[in-house]
């Protein structure tokens, strides 16, 4: 963060209920919205990436992803999978 005392104000639009619920959670964690937003911005600058990633997964896809990661972690297990079987399993 810059050593100067110059500050900027940020304004954003979010649904009222989202703001109210989020601010309540932020307060419950002993922080202020300003601290949270500043921490997010500092993370982006420091790491060069977003602190969150948007993913939309069905429960089935999430379960499949877990199973794939488990299989990949087990180097001893090799399986043959035909594309048509994979398409059928994924219902594509």
């Amino acid at each position: 963060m810059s050593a100067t005392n110059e500050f900027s104000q940020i304004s954003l639009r979010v649904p009222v209920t989202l703001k109210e619920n989020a601010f309540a959670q932020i307060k419950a964690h002993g922080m202020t919205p300003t601290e949270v937003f500043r921490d997010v911005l500092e993370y982006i600058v420091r790491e060069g990436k977003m602190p969150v990633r948007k993913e939309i997964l069905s429960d089935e896809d999430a379960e499949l992803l877990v199973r794939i990661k488990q299989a990949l972690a087990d180097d001893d297990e090799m399986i043959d999978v035909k594309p048509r079987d994979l398409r059928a399993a994924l219902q594509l």
Side-chain angles (χ1 to χ4, degrees):
M1 186 158 69
S2 174
T4 67
N5 288 332
E6 295 180 38
F7 290 93
S8 177
Q9 186 170 344
I10 298 173
S11 176
L12 56 127
R13 292 180 172 278
V14 296
V16 172
T17 55
L18 175 61
K19 176 189 168 200
E20 290 170 351
N21 292 335
F23 280 26
Q25 288 296 318
I26 290 167
K27 185 177 180 180
H29 284 86
M31 297 182 75
T32 66
T34 297
E35 291 171 319
V36 170
F37 292 123
R38 185 177 19 235
D39 288 351
V40 168
L41 294 175
E42 287 175 353
Y43 178 91
I44 292 168
V45 170
R46 183 178 64 250
E47 302 297 326
K49 61 183 181 179
M50 300 304 293
V52 295
R53 178 176 39 173
K54 281 191 169 188
E55 285 187 11
I56 301 174
L57 290 176
S58 67
D59 291 342
E60 294 83 11
D61 288 345
E63 181 182 332
L64 179 60
L65 187 56
V66 168
R67 293 172 76 187
I68 290 170
K69 287 179 180 180
Q70 288 170 343
L72 290 172
D74 185 1
D75 290 336
D76 296 334
E77 184 180 347
M78 292 292 293
I79 58 172
D80 289 323
V81 178
K82 293 183 169 57
R84 71 172 172 263
D85 296 333
L86 184 57
R87 279 192 293 276
L90 295 175
Q91 300 177 355
L92 300 176

